[in-house]
């Protein structure tokens, strides 16, 4: 029995408001969330799951509301914690840090997580979703780093180079047979 996971990376989010947990979407991010809905409206999605971070929920919210579905929030699907207290990290600091995390999976900043820790918690959540919603189509509102780490667990080609070429938003449909990844297809059109 096939299970389909739709990884929906959140839309553009301002790094000037709130913290990592509360940041919303920019005007472009909101417009792109409408495009996410248009792209996935006919996919026959059964279940909607998200990271607890506001930008991830907002990116799939319109789609879920179109079918009067609740978004189930999984704390374990939150983005990697780079700094303590969910502080926002500027991109000029973030990308060199992320590159180092891919070359040394145990590297972490004070108060943050390593890629090993983040991957272990997020993959455990994904395996729970695959088991609980077996045979369904499940949208997951997610983030670049945690999405890449989950996908990379099943196929090593999803690495730093993959992450830096993804967009905000982005959509990948993963086809599973139990916990075996059969195929991944990018659905987002820039």
């Amino acid at each position: 029995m096939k299970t389909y996971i739709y990884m929906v990376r959140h839309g553009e989010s301002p790094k000037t408001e709130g913290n990592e947990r509360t940041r919303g979407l920019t005007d472009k991010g909101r417009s792109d969330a409408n495009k996410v809905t248009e792209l996935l409206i006919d996919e026959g999605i059964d279940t909607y799951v998200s990271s607890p971070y506001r930008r991830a929920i907002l990116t799939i919210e319109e789609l879920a509301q179109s079918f009067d579905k609740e978004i189930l929030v999984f704390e374990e699907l939150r983005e990697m914690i780079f700094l303590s207290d969910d502080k926002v990290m500027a991109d000029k600091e973030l990308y060199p840090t992320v590159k180092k995390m891919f070359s040394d999976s145990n590297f972490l900043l004070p108060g943050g997580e390593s890629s090993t820790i983040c991957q272990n918690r997020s993959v455990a959540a994904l395996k729970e979703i695959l088991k609980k919603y077996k045979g369904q189509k499940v949208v997951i509102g997610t983030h670049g780093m945690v999405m890449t780490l989950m996908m990379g667990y099943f196929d090593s080609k999803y690495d730093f180079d993959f992450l830096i070429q993804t967009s905000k938003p982005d959509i990948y449909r993963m086809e599973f047979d139990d916990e075996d990844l059969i195929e991944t297809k990018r659905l987002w059109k820039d």
Side-chain angles (χ1 to χ4, degrees):
M1 184 181 301
K2 304 285 193 271
T3 304
Y4 294 88
I5 301 292
Y6 294 77
M7 294 283 186
V8 179
R9 185 180 186 192
H10 67 80
E12 185 180 270
S13 179
K15 288 207 166 192
T16 55
E17 70 172 46
N19 61 30
E20 284 298 326
R21 198 167 278 271
T22 60
R23 284 196 289 134
L25 296 174
T26 63
D27 289 342
K28 181 184 184 312
R30 286 189 290 280
S31 174
D32 285 342
N34 294 334
K35 292 177 188 171
V36 167
T37 298
E38 291 169 14
L39 272 169
L40 297 180
I41 197 89
D42 295 326
E43 287 289 318
I45 307 299
D46 301 293
T47 303
Y48 298 81
V49 172
S50 182
S51 151
Y53 288 22
R54 188 165 176 254
R55 60 192 181 272
I57 293 169
L58 290 173
T59 302
I60 65 168
E61 187 174 60
E62 179 185 349
L63 180 63
Q65 288 175 348
S66 297
F67 297 101
D68 201 27
K69 296 279 189 168
E70 178 184 356
I71 297 173
L72 308 172
V73 174
F74 279 57
E75 182 64 31
E76 299 82 8
L77 294 175
R78 68 189 174 274
E79 178 60 296
M80 174 182 272
I81 297 171
F82 294 100
L83 298 170
S84 61
D85 300 325
D86 287 320
K87 289 179 189 159
V88 176
M89 181 183 267
D91 286 346
K92 66 182 170 122
E93 299 165 10
L94 181 64
Y95 290 108
T97 300
V98 168
K99 187 171 188 175
K100 185 167 185 171
M101 290 175 153
F102 274 97
S103 63
D104 177 0
S105 63
N106 293 311
F107 173 77
L108 55 89
L109 296 172
E113 295 178 296
S114 69
S115 56
T116 298
I117 291 168
C118 181
Q119 185 179 56
N120 288 343
R121 75 160 156 81
S122 59
V123 169
L126 179 56
K127 287 182 175 184
E128 179 184 336
I129 290 165
L130 286 168
K131 185 177 177 182
K132 187 171 184 176
Y133 303 106
K134 185 176 181 173
Q136 293 189 20
K137 293 181 175 182
V138 181
V139 161
I140 298 179
T142 191
H143 309 270
M145 184 70 167
V146 74
M147 175 183 81
T148 301
L149 291 172
M150 285 189 286
M151 293 171 73
Y153 174 84
F154 296 97
D155 187 336
S156 62
K157 74 179 179 186
Y158 300 108
D159 57 8
F160 178 75
D161 292 331
F162 166 79
L163 172 61
I164 61 170
Q165 63 85 33
T166 61
S167 60
K168 292 180 186 175
D170 216 334
I171 305 171
Y172 293 87
R173 181 180 64 211
M174 302 173 73
E175 178 183 340
F176 286 91
D177 185 2
D178 289 318
E179 287 185 10
D180 296 324
L181 178 62
I182 307 301
E183 179 184 52
T184 301
K185 182 178 180 184
R186 184 176 192 226
L187 301 182
W188 181 253
K189 310 281 191 276
D190 288 324

